[in-house]
Amino acid sequence: MGLVESSRLLEQKVNKAIALINRLRLDNSELTERLKMVTNHNEELQELLNKTSADTAVIEEAISAALESLDELGLDDLGTFGTLDSDELEAAESFTIDGGSADDFETFENQEL
């Protein structure tokens, strides 16, 4: 191989190296931008998590306070309060506004719109 061929081969290798370096610089720049975006997104998510945690703590405190208030009322032994047997349900179903007429009071279901 002569000196001219060696210098051409060296020039080709240098040009390839330059092209590779330029491509790597571009890739590096793109990756740097993506990293900035991901970092910003992570910071936003952390702020949201902190806010959610604070909201959760406030909700837990409100529930605890409500439960304490209910405990203070002493409603522990209500028994079957709020449960209706079949006779009570039947009486409630047959209830009318005037105490006994067959005509029930008007509801939206009975009216034509």
Side-chain angles (χ1 to χ4, degrees):
M1 190 182 287
L3 186 58
V4 174
E5 289 177 8
S6 294
S7 62
R8 283 186 187 153
L9 185 60
L10 179 60
E11 183 181 5
Q12 287 176 352
K13 288 183 179 185
V14 167
N15 287 336
K16 285 182 181 180
I18 290 171
L20 178 61
I21 289 170
N22 288 335
R23 193 184 84 213
L24 290 174
R25 283 182 178 162
L26 180 62
D27 288 350
N28 188 30
S29 179
E30 289 174 3
L31 289 172
T32 301
E33 286 299 314
R34 289 177 66 187
L35 178 62
K36 286 179 187 176
M37 287 177 19
V38 168
T39 301
N40 289 338
H41 186 66
N42 283 346
E43 289 172 359
E44 291 171 357
L45 289 174
Q46 186 62 47
E47 289 174 14
L48 182 61
L49 177 65
N50 293 341
K51 183 181 180 294
T52 303
S53 297
D55 290 347
T56 300
V58 169
I59 292 169
E60 287 175 354
E61 289 176 21
I63 290 172
S64 293
L67 289 174
E68 287 176 16
S69 295
L70 286 174
D71 286 343
E72 290 174 7
L73 291 175
L75 302 175
D76 292 336
D77 48 335
L78 291 177
T80 60
F81 178 76
T83 60
L84 298 176
D85 62 21
S86 61
D87 292 335
E88 291 172 316
L89 284 173
E90 191 174 313
E93 293 281 331
S94 65
F95 176 78
T96 60
I97 196 160
D98 61 1
S101 77
D103 296 328
D104 205 352
F105 61 94
E106 288 294 318
T107 62
F108 290 113
E109 292 87 23
N110 298 338
Q111 295 178 0
E112 289 188 32
L113 300 175

